[in-house]
Amino acid sequence: MFLGINGATTEKCTLEEDIRVAGECGYEVVEIRSDKMEEYLKDHSFDDLKALMRQCGVKPWTINAIGMSTMQDAAGEARVMKETERFAELAAAIDCPWIVACPGGHDGASWDEIITKSAASFAKQADIAWKRKISLSFEFLGFPWASVQTVSQAWAVVKAANRLNIGITIDTAHFYSGSSTLAEISALPVQALAVFHMNDLVDKPKAEIGDYDRVMPGDGVIPLEEICKEVKRIGFDGVASIEIFNHDFNKQDPKAIAKKAIEKMAPYVK
């Protein structure tokens, strides 16, 4: 697998700092947070950004993330499509192959309603991305409010959307909190997996888990070894990327955090 780092892990860094830290610590790819990229582009060009990544020896893999991208009303869907247009423009300009999109809430909708509405919206997003030869990855969220909480649900939406340029993101925190199973990974075609997000979680009830309960791989309760074995068993040899939202990390040296993260992640994926 190729080792990547998501800009959430070095949350308080600028995009330039993210890229330099990634290169210095031995990561091969970066997942770019869209807000950091927009800030960078206020004073730099796309060519500047591509030159910086070449200089640091890293490549872009995803732009993160279109939030609440499904289950929207008309105004919300218009916002989603506008963001998709912009993200696709950014991705194409720097040769970044993937955009990540996350589901909206369920608001008590039935699963039939969720899959029908989500697939329709996701297909529209995929069509927008396809115009710029960009692919779209659906990242399920293991929160009780989310409309799509498991591997199998995400894959069902992607299959129903029926586009060539779509896949899913598996995040170990959401895998655990949403109670996905190893069998769901086993049933997944390897080509459907766009990126594998790695992290761990503190010990607390699943229904109470939030993004900022994440910790370094091996420091929490997620059965990472079993999950990683199953991901490798289906033949995945793509990008394993560390994504850890953690307020304490923001008080520490980002290079030290990135270095520790790659050390903690490597035994599970190499």
Side-chain angles (χ1 to χ4, degrees), residues 22-42:
E24 290 170 2
C25 292
Y27 292 93
E28 295 158 285
V29 302
V30 290
E31 291 193 275
I32 296 173
R33 307 300 295 187
S34 62
D35 56 341
K36 294 186 181 186
M37 188 168 179
E38 295 286 16
E39 188 65 27
Y40 177 88
L41 290 172
K42 290 179 180 179

Side-chain angles (χ1 to χ4, degrees), residues 39 47 56 67-68 106 110 121 159 175 184 194 215 227 230 255 264:
E39 188 65 27
D47 285 341
C56 295
M68 306 293 285
H106 54 72
S110 70
S121 179
K159 285 193 296 182
F175 181 97
E184 291 176 66
V215 292
I227 296 170
E230 196 62 28
K255 186 175 179 179
K264 299 282 284 186

